[in-house]
C-alpha cells in the first residue's frame, strides 16, 4: 500500500476522488496539479497512516523511506536542496482531514531552515531581515505547534515575551521595526527557550524537523478538542488526518509578489464575478496579523496584470471542473501565480440560491444538483431579517436561538403592557422568565420574545416559531425581576423601556438598537423551490391556528394544514371569558351554556381557515391543553374574574387549586377532556361541520380532518370518534348537505405507537406528535430540560437536542413502529407528522424514509421542509417527475 | 348438533366438562344426576343457541322440536302433565352462563301454572292459598322478568301497587294474612295489569309461557348491564348463556319440607364441618323476603334427620368428586332431599389456606393443586387487620383501596402534628389533600393515611404500601381544609381530633371507632408457602429502604432487596438539614461539605441493610427525586430554614422558585442529578462500598448492586458507571479488601426499553421500573390521573388501572422488548422488576412468561408475589423441583 502521494509539474499521484486518503486539501492539490494549474510541488502522506502511528507511536520504516523518496523528488522538482546552505528547499507542513476540522495541528511554515540554510535564504532573497524573521518564526512555530510550548496562567509564552522584551529594549513598537541583527539575535534566544522548554536542542537537521512535524500532525488527531469536535459533528474517529508537505512559495519577496484569497463568485450575493482580496508583497500571515489592510481583488488587475488574468482563467477552470463555486488561496512569487488551495466556497443562502439557479442556466449542473446544493437549514436566512453583520454590537448574553430573525424594541415585562404599547404602535420586546398560555396576546403584540428559562420547545419558542416571530429562549444568565420591571445580566441591569436587539437566529441578546438587514425572496428562490416541489414525495402542510397564518403559510407553499390548535382561539379577549365560564360551571348544563357562546366564534375561525385553504385538507385538533391553563393565577386577575362571574373569590380559588396539577403534561388534557366532558367535543365538532357546510355553500373546496389528541388506547379514540360522527350527521341533516371528512388521531404517546394496529381500526389518519412523543419517550419535560440539557451537551452525552432534531434511535423507532403497525391494519392509512420536527431538515429525511405522506410545520419553515423533502427524495433515489 | 340436554333419575346427557355449552349450573346439575345425587329432573338448552337466537330473533324449528321432546320426557319422568289440571308439571326457568354473571335474567318459578293447572296444584297440595299465591307470583314474575314491566319514576310497578292496595283494603299488613280468595282475586287483577302493560293476554298455554321465558333468558345476554359486566370482567361476548328448565320441587308444602344452603366446610375458618342454614316449610324466596329467620344447619339433624344424613353423605360425595369445597342449594319436599345447585364455594383467605392444606393431607388433592387453589390477591387479608364485618358502621365515603388493612385513630391534618401525637403514643389518622415527600415522618407516625387526591400509585399510596400501612387515597368527595383543620364530606364536617376508621382494603372511610379483627399467619399458611416456594422460578425480592423494613421483608420470605430508595433516608430529621444545605450550596465545594455530613449516616443505613440481608443481593438506587422535594414550601418553614442556614429569605425563595418545575416527573431527577452533580453519586457510592467493606469485616455475606435511575441513553449510564467504579476502587484501596458488586440500571423510560441493546453494554443488570414506565408510556401522571381515570372506568374505556396491574398490551410490550434486546447484548443479563406491579399477581404471571429473574415488591406483598410466582410456574408448566 502506497502511503505518500507526490505532485509536481502537472502530474500528481492522487486526485480529487481520494479525499478519504489524502484529505480534502491534499486531494484538491493533486487534482489541481493534474489539471495543469500551477501548484507548488509537494506530497501528501495518507491519512491511513494516522491511526497506525497513533497505535504504535512511530512511523513505519517503509513510510519513512517513502517520505525520503518524496523529498528527493521534491528537491529535483524544485531544484533546491533540503537544508542546503545556498538554495534551500523550504516546505510547509499542514494537516488535512477529509472533513475540515478545527482542533488539529494547523501549519508549520519555512520548515527546512537552520543555521546554514537561513544564510542561503538571506542571500537568495537578498533580504536578511526576511530570512531571519522567517527563521525565528519557524523556531517559535515549531516549539509551539510541534512541542506544545504554551502560555502559562494567562502569561504569553516565553517566545512572545522575549520578542516583547527586545522591542522594549530597542524602543520600537512593531515587529518590522526590529533590525535584521535583532532578529538574528532573537533566533538564538528562541533556541535557548526551545531547549529549556522541551529539554532538547532545536533540531538543526531538516529531516528531524520534518519527521517531528509529521508526527505532530498525526498526534493532533487525538487532542481533546479534536475528539470533542468529531463527536459533536458526528465525524468518525477512525478516519485520521493526512499530512501535506508543500514547497514554500513567497508572496513577500518584492513588489511583483503578493498573496490573496478569492471566491469564484460573490459569496454574499451569488453574483458571478471574482470576489476577494489580495496584498502586494506579503504573506498570508501578514493579513492575519493586521499589519496591512488587504486590497479588493479588482485592483490586482493593475498591479499584477498577468497573474490576475491567469487567476481569472484558473477560477473559471476550477468552477467548470468542480461544477461549484470555489474558495481559492493563491500566492504570486515574482510574478508567477501559485494556487495553494481550492475548496467548495461557503456562501449565504441568497448566494447559494442564485449560484445554483445560474449554474443550471449556464448548463454547468442539472436541476437535481442545483436543488441538492442549497442547504434547507440555511433558507431561514432568506425568510427573516438579520442583524447587520457589519454593525458593532454590545452583546449582553446568548440564549437559545429559539425562533429565527432579529428584532429591535424596548423592553417590557408583562403581556398586558406589551399589548398596550404594541397596539400604540411601539416596538416592544417581551421579556419573561418563561411564557404561559396567558401571555399569548402580548406575544402577538411584541416584536420579539426573550425568556430566561425553557428550551427550544418551550411555550415561548413553539408559539414564536408558529408566528415566525423572533425569540431567544432560556437565556439563563438573565435574572428577570418582573416586580421591579428590570432584568440583570452579568451585573448589568436593564429597565423597562430600554432598547434591546434580539437575534433569534443566533441566540444573541444585544443592548441598544442595532441596524437589521431585510431579505427578500428572489425569482431565483421561486425557481429553485419549484424544482424542489417537482422532486419531492412528501407533501408539506403547515401548523396554523388562524386564517391569517393559514394564508401566509399558503404563500410559503403549504399544501394544507396539518395541525390547527383550536385552543389558541380561546385565549383571545372576548373568548377567554366564555372559556372560563365553561371551566367554572358546576355542571353539564352550565358548561353547555358557555360552550354555546364559544360555538359561533369557533365556527367563524374555521370558516376563515377553510377559505384560506380552499382545495387543501385542514386537520383540526380537538381541545388539548389542561383547563387550568385558561384560568388566571395572579391574585388581581382572580379578583377581577370573581367579580365578572359573580363567583365568590374563595370558591374561585378552590376551583383553581383543584385544577392545579403536579405534572400537567401528563394530566387531564387531550382526549381525556373530551371523554370527561363530551359536550366540548360536540361543540367543537359542530363548529367544524357548520363551518365546512357554509364554506361549501360559498363554493369553497373543503376537506376537514378532525383529530383526537393524546390517544393512548383505541377505546379512547372510538369513544370520541362516535361523538364527532354523531355531531356530523346532525349538522349535515340540518344543512341538507354532506361533506367528506376524516377522523383520525395524534400518535404522541408511546402506547399509541405500540398499539397503532389497534388504534388504526378507528383512525382514518395518524398525525405523529413528535413533540410530546419525545417528551414521553425520554421522560423529559421540554419546559424543565433547560436545567440539565446544557450539562449533557457539555459532557457530550447528547449529540443533539432531541426536541429540535428527531431522535432516530429512540423516538424514531416508535415512529417506525406506529407507521408499520398502523398500515398493517389499514394499508392506505394517511400518516403525517405535526411536531416541531416537521420543519427540521434531517428529521424530514427520516420521515421520507419511513414512508410518511406529509410533514407539517410552522408557516416560516414550510419552504425549508419543501426543500428538505426534495433532498430526501434525491438522497434516496426516489425523486418524482 | 344436539341443543337440549336432558337429566333425570341418575342419567344425564351432559356432564361437568360441558360448562361451555351448558353453563356452570347446567353442567353441575347433569354431573350430580350422573353421580346418582337426587336432582329434580329437567333439561338444559345449550348456550350455543343463544347467539343464534339473538341474531335471528327466533328459536330454530329443530330446537323447538327438541324442547318439545324434552318436555315430553320430563312429563314421563315426573309423572305429571305440562298444563295438566290435576297433576300439573311446573318448572323453573333460569339462565346459566359459563361464568356467573349478574345482569342477566334470573329466575321464573312455577312456570306451567294457568287457570286450569292452578286448580290442580290447589287440590294436589291441599292448599289453595299456596296455589293461588304461587300463581299470582308467577304472573308477576313473568310480567316483570320476561316482559320487563318495571317501576316508573320511583313508583313501585303496578303489580306491587295492586297488592298493596288490596292489603290496605283488607286492613292487613303481611302478604300471608291475605285469604286464598283475595289471592285468587289478585290473579285476575294481575292478568289485567299484564294485558294493559304488555298489550296482550297473559299466555294460558304453558308451552307459550316456556318459549317466552327461554327467549327472555337468551335476550338478557345482551342487556346493557350484562354487556358492561362482561367488559369489565373480560368475559367474552360470544359465549352466550344456557337456559335451565327444571321441574319444581317445593320446600313449603308442610313440616316435612324445607330449603337451605350449605358449604361443605366453614367458608370463614376452613374447618371441616358442614356450615349453612335451613328453613322448615319454606322456599328460598321466603328467606330472601326476610319473613322468617333461617336456622343453623345443625338443627336440621333433629328436624329432618333422614334428609340431613343424606345431605351429609351428598356433601362428602360432592367434595370427593369435585376435589373442592362446595356451596350447595337444596330443598326437602315431603322428606325427600333434592339438590338444586352445587358450585365451588367462595371462602376467606384463611379458609382457602386451611382447606387447601387439609385436603392435601386427606389425599384429596396434590400440593400443586393446593397451591393453585389459593388466590394470591386474597392473601392480603391474612397480613393485615380488617374491619369487623359484624360491626355496624357509619360510612362517610369510599376512596381508592390504596394500601390494605384497617386502622382507627383521631384525625390530624399535618405531618408535624401526626409526629407529635404519634410519638406521644396516640393513634392518629393523617388526612391530607395529597402527601409529598415532606410528609414522610408524619406518615410513619400515623396509623393510616387518607387523601382526597391521587390514585393507586400516588405518593401516599406507594409509601403506605411500602410500610404495610393502611391508606385510602383519592377519596374525592372529601374536601380537606388544612387551615381550618377539618374536612367536609357530603355536608358533614369532621374536625381534628375526631375518631375515624379507615379501611384500606375496601377504600371505606368510616366515622368513629369500629372494632378491628386481627389475623395471624397459621402453620397451614407456612406449609402452603413452602410448597409454593418449591415450585416457583421467579425469585422474590423486596423494596425496602431501612434495616427494619429489610428485616420484616425477610420474615415475609424476601430473597434480597430489589429496590432501596436512598432518598427516603434523607427525609429524617438530622438529615434533611444537611440535604438542604447541599441543595442550597452555591458551588461544588459547598455541596461536598454538606455531602460529607450525609456520608456517615447513609453508610450506617446501608450497613444495617446489608446485615439484615446477609447472603442476599441488595440493589441500591442512586438519588432519584427532584431536589425541590427536599425543600420546604410553606412560608413559616422557609423562614425557619432561612434562619438555620443564615441565608436571606429572599435568596432562599429565589432558589426554591428556580428549582420549581412544570413537570417534576419529567424533570431534573434520576441520573440527571448525578450527571450535573457527580459528587452526589460519588458520596452515595462511597457510602455503599464503605458499608459493604465494613459488613464483610463483620462476617456478613454482602452483595451490593448499584442502580442508576432514569437512564434514557447508554451514555448517561456509562457516565455514572464510571463514577461508581472509580469510587469503588478508591474505597477498596483504602479498606484493603475487594467486594464483588454489580452496576446496573432502571429501565423506566420508553427510550431505555427501545435502546436496551445499547444500554446493556454498560449494565450488569436491568430493573424494570414499571411505575414510571407506565406513566411515560401512557403519558399519564399517577398523581393527576384521579381526575379522569374514574370516568374512564365508568365508561368502560379501561379494563383495569394500569398502575395496579401491568398493561400487557402497551407497557408489557416495552418490557418484553427491553428483555429481548438487553439479552441480545448480554445473554446472562440479570433482569428484575421493582415497580408496584412486582406484587400484583396477574403482572407476576406476565413477568414469569417474559423470562425475568426476579420481582421485587413491598414487604407486605412478598408472600403474594411468592404465591403468584408459583401459580405462574404451574400455569406455564414450568414448575421447579
Amino acid at each position: 500500500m502506497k502511503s505518500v502521494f507526490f505532485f509536481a509539474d502537472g502530474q500528481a499521484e492522487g486526485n480529487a476522488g481520494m479525499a478519504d486518503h489524502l484529505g480534502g486539501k491534499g486531494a484538491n492539490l493533486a487534482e489541481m496539479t493534474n489539471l495543469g494549474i500551477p501548484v507548488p510541488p509537494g506530497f501528501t502522506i495518507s491519512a491511513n497512516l494516522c491511526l497506525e502511528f497513533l497505535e504504535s507511536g512511530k512511523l513505519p520504516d517503509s513510510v519513512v523511506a517513502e517520505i525520503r523518496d518524496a523529498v528527493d523528488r521534491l528537491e529535483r522538482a524544485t531544484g533546491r536542496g533540503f537544508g542546503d546552505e545556498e538554495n534551500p528547499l523550504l516546505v510547509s507542513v499542514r494537516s488535512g482531514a477529509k472533513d475540515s476540522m478545527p482542533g488539529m495541528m494547523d501549519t508549520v511554515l519555512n520548515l527546512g531552515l537552520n543555521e546554514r540554510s537561513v544564510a542561503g535564504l538571506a542571500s537568495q532573497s537578498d533580504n536578511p531581515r526576511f530570512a531571519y524573521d522567517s527563521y525565528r518564526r519557524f523556531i517559535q512555530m515549531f516549539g509551539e505547534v510541534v512541542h506544545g510550548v504554551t502560555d502559562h496562567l494567562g502569561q504569553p509564552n516565553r517566545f512572545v515575551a522575549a520578542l516583547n522584551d527586545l522591542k522594549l529594549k530597542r524602543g520600537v513598537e512593531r515587529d518590522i521595526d526590529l533590525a535584521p541583527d535583532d532578529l538574528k539575535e532573537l533566533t538564538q534566544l528562541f533556541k535557548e527557550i526551545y531547549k529549556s522548554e522541551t529539554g532538547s536542542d532545536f533540531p538543526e537537521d531538516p529531516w528531524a524537523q520534518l519527521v517531528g512535524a509529521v508526527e505532530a500532525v498525526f498526534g493532533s488527531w487525538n487532542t481533546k478538542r479534536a475528539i470533542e469536535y468529531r463527536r459533536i459533528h458526528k465525524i468518525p474517529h477512525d478516519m485520521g488526518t493526512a499530512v501535506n508537505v508543500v514547497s514554500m512559495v513567497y508572496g513577500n519577496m518584492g513588489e511583483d509578489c503578493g498573496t490573496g484569497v478569492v471566491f469564484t463568485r460573490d459569496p454574499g450575493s451569488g453574483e458571478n464575478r471574482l470576489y476577494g482580496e489580495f496584498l502586494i508583497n506579503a504573506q498570508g500571515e501578514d493579513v492575519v496579523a493586521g499589519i496591512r489592510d488587504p486590497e479588493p481583488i479588482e485592483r490586482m488587475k493593475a498591479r499584477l496584470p498577468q497573474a490576475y488574468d491567469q487567476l481569472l482563467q484558473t477560477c473559471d477552470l476550477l468552477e467548470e471542473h468542480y461544477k461549484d463555486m470555489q474558495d481559492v488561496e493563491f500566492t504570486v512569487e515574482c510574478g508567477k501565480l501559485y494556487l495553494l488551495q481550492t475548496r467548495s466556497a461557503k456562501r449565504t443562502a441568497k448566494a447559494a440560491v442564485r449560484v445554483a439557479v445560474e449554474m443550471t442556466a449556464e448548463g454547468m449542473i442539472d436541476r437535481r444538483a442545483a436543488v441538492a446544493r442549497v442547504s434547507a437549514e440555511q433558507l431561514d436566512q432568506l425568510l427573516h431579517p438579520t442583524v447587520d453583520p457589519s454593525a458593532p454590537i454590545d452583546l449582553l448574553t446568548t440564549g437559545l436561538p429559539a425562533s429565527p430573525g432579529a428584532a429591535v424594541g424596548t423592553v417590557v415585562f408583562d403581556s398586558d403592557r406589551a399589548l398596550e404599547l404594541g397596539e400604540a404602535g411601539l416596538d416592544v420586546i417581551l421579556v419573561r422568565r418563561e411564557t404561559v398560555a396567558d401571555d399569548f396576546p402580548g406575544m402577538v403584540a411584541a416584536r420579539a420574545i426573550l425568556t430566561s428559562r425553557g428550551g427550544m420547545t418551550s411555550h415561548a419558542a413553539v408559539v414564536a416559531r408558529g408566528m415566525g416571530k423572533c425569540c431567544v429562549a432560556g437565556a439563563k444568565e438573565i435574572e428577570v425581576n418582573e416586580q421591579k420591571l428590570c432584568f440583570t445580566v452579568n451585573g448589568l441591569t436593564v429597565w423597562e423601556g430600554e432598547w434591546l436587539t434580539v437575534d433569534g437566529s443566533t441566540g444573541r441578546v444585544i443592548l441598544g438598537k442595532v441596524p437589521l438587514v431585510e431579505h427578500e425572496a428572489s425569482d431565483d428562490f421561486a425557481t429553485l423551490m419549484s424544482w424542489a416541489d417537482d422532486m419531492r414525495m412528501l407533501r408539506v402542510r403547515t401548523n396554523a391556528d388562524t386564517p391569517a397564518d393559514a394564508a401566509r403559510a399558503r404563500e410559503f407553499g403549504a399544501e394544507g394544514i396539518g395541525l390547527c390548535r383550536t385552543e389558541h382561539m380561546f385565549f383571545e379577549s372576548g373568548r377567554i371569558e366564555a372559556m372560563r365560564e365553561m371551566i367554572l360551571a358546576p355542571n353539564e348544563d352550565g358548561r353547555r351554556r358557555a360552550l354555546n357562546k364559544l360555538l359561533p366564534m369557533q365556527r367563524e375561525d374555521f370558516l376563515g381557515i377553510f377559505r384560506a385553504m380552499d382545495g387543501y385538507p385542514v386537520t383540526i385538533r380537538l381541545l388539548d391543553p389542561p383547563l387550568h391553563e385558561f384560568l388566571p393565577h395572579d391574585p388581581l386577575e382572580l379578583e377581577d374574574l370573581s367579580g365578572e362571574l359573580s363567583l365568590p373569590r374563595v370558591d374561585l380559588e378552590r376551583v383553581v387549586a383543584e385544577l392545579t396539577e403536579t405534572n400537567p403534561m401528563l394530566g387531564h388534557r387531550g382526549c381525556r377532556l373530551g371523554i370527561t366532558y363530551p359536550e366540548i367535543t360536540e361543540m367543537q365538532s359542530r363548529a367544524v361541520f357548520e363551518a365546512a357546510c357554509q364554506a361549501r355553500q360559498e363554493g369553497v373546496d373543503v376537506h376537514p380532518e378532525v383529530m383526537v389528541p393524546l390517544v393512548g388506547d383505541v377505546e379512547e379514540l372510538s369513544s370520541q370518534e362516535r361523538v364527532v360522527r354523531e355531531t356530523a350527521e346532525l349538522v349535515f341533516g340540518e344543512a341538507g348537505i354532506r361533506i367528506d371528512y376524516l377522523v383520525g388521531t395524534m400518535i404522541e404517546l408511546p402506547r399509541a405507537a405500540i398499539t397503532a394496529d389497534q388504534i388504526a381500526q378507528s383512525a382514518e389518519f395518524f398525525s405523529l406528535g413528535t413533540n410530546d412523543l419525545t417528551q414521553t419517550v425520554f421522560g423529559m419535560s421540554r419546559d424543565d430540560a433547560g436545567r440539565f440539557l446544557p450539562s449533557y451537551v457539555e459532557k457530550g452525552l447528547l449529540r443533539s437536542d432531541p426536541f429540535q432534531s428527531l431522535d432516530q434511535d429512540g423516538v424514531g423507532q416508535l415512529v417506525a413502529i406506529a407507521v408499520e403497525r398502523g398500515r398493517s391494519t389499514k394499508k392506505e392509512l394517511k400518516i403525517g407528522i405535526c411536531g416541531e420536527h416537521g420543519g427540521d431538515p434531517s428529521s424530514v429525511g427520516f420521515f421520507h424514509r419511513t414512508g410518511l405522506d406529509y410533514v407539517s410545520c410552522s408557516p416560516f419553515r414550510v419552504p425549508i421542509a419543501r426543500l428538505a423533502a426534495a433532498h430526501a427524495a434525491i438522497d434516496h433515489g426516489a425523486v418524482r417527475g
Side-chain angles (χ1 to χ4, degrees), chain A residues 577-596:
Chain A
E577 293 77 4
M579 190 65 191
R580 287 171 175 173
E581 187 186 327
M582 195 277 292
I583 294 166
L584 297 167
N587 54 34
E588 188 183 324
D589 278 354
R591 280 192 296 275
R592 284 190 181 275
R593 267 196 301 280
L595 286 167
N596 281 338

Side-chain angles (χ1 to χ4, degrees), chain A residues 694-706:
Chain A
Q694 187 174 335
R696 162 77 70 81
Q697 279 158 342
E698 292 175 7
V700 174
D701 181 17
V702 61
H703 300 279
E705 303 181 341
V706 178

Side-chain angles (χ1 to χ4, degrees), chain A residues 629-645:
Chain A
E629 282 200 8
F630 299 93
L631 294 181
H633 292 85
D634 178 68
L636 275 177
E637 283 186 274
L638 277 171
E639 190 62 43
D640 286 353
L641 185 60
S642 156
E644 275 167 35
L645 297 175

Side-chain angles (χ1 to χ4, degrees), chain A residues 322-551:
Chain A
Y322 283 103
K323 312 287 188 203
D324 197 8
M325 167 179 169
Q326 296 294 300
D327 164 1
V328 166
E329 286 178 28
F330 67 91
T331 283
V332 180
E333 187 185 71
C334 307
K336 180 161 168 45
L337 176 76
Y338 291 97
L339 273 285
L340 303 185
Q341 173 160 312
T342 189
R343 58 185 171 187
S344 175
K346 289 205 187 325
R347 63 207 84 173
T348 64
K350 192 175 168 183
V353 170
R354 178 165 174 178
V355 168
V357 173
E358 289 187 356
M359 281 190 170
T360 309
E362 293 160 17
M364 203 181 282
I365 57 176
D366 65 8
R367 289 181 176 188
R368 196 173 292 193
V371 167
R373 194 161 287 172
V374 178
S375 131
E377 201 46 79
Q378 229 186 353
L379 282 194
D380 238 2
Q381 283 180 20
L382 291 184
L383 306 168
H384 300 282
T386 50
V387 170
D388 183 345
S390 64
I393 62 163
D394 185 358
L395 185 67
L396 289 177
T397 185
T398 302
L400 299 171
S403 179
V408 178
T410 58
V411 172
V412 297
F413 292 94
D414 78 80
S415 173
D416 290 345
R417 184 83 176 139
L419 193 61
E420 181 192 334
L421 298 178
E423 285 182 349
L426 295 178
D427 293 337
V428 297
I429 308 283
L430 179 61
V431 181
R432 303 201 36 95
R433 283 165 68 95
E434 56 197 330
T435 61
V436 294
D438 257 3
D439 291 322
F440 187 70
M443 294 170 76
V444 172
R447 288 269 155 199
I449 296 109
L450 166 62
T451 67
S452 60
R453 295 258 302 259
M456 289 297 289
T457 38
S458 60
H459 177 265
V462 173
V463 172
R465 279 199 295 276
M467 295 190 288
K469 181 160 296 197
C470 162
C471 174
V472 170
K476 62 185 162 61
E477 291 182 336
I478 287 181
E479 262 188 47
V480 177
N481 190 327
E482 285 158 2
Q483 277 72 50
K484 291 194 184 160
L485 301 180
C486 67
F487 70 82
T488 55
V489 52
N490 298 321
L492 190 85
T493 302
V494 178
W495 297 89
E496 183 179 279
E498 288 197 59
W499 287 92
L500 209 61
T501 301
V502 174
D503 182 353
S505 304
T506 62
R508 289 180 301 174
V509 180
I510 303 163
L511 191 63
K513 297 166 77 161
V514 181
L516 304 184
V517 183
E518 294 280 347
H519 300 272
E520 269 179 36
S522 61
D523 289 347
D524 288 337
F525 177 73
T527 303
L528 188 87
M529 291 308 292
S530 77
W531 297 346
D533 288 343
D534 289 342
M535 293 169 195
R536 66 189 158 89
M537 308 285 288
L538 280 172
R539 302 288 88 197
V540 176
R541 299 196 197 178
T542 191
N543 301 348
D545 312 330
T546 64
D549 279 355

Side-chain angles (χ1 to χ4, degrees), chain A residues 99 442 635:
Chain A
D99 299 288

Side-chain angles (χ1 to χ4, degrees), chain A residues 4 6 43 45 59-76 82 89 205-208 210-211 214 245:
Chain A
V4 177
F6 190 76
F43 57 88
I45 306 170
L59 292 173
D61 290 343
S62 64
V63 173
V64 174
E66 274 193 76
I67 297 175
R68 269 194 199 278
D69 183 48
V71 171
D72 286 351
R73 290 172 73 182
L74 201 52
E75 288 180 327
R76 286 197 297 276
F82 202 36
L89 168 64
D205 176 7
W207 181 251
L210 182 59
V211 170
V214 169
V245 179

Side-chain angles (χ1 to χ4, degrees), chain A residues 565-582:
Chain A
R565 302 177 198 86
T566 53
E567 58 269 16
H568 280 190
M569 304 171 178
F570 294 139
F571 283 107
E572 281 181 35
S573 117
R575 298 177 171 203
I576 185 84
E577 293 77 4
M579 190 65 191
R580 287 171 175 173
E581 187 186 327
M582 195 277 292

Side-chain angles (χ1 to χ4, degrees), chain A residues 603-618:
Chain A
R603 184 175 54 220
E604 207 52 39
D605 288 326
F606 293 149
L607 184 57
I609 289 172
F610 288 144
R611 287 176 184 142
M613 279 293 165
D614 190 358
Y616 283 129
V618 174

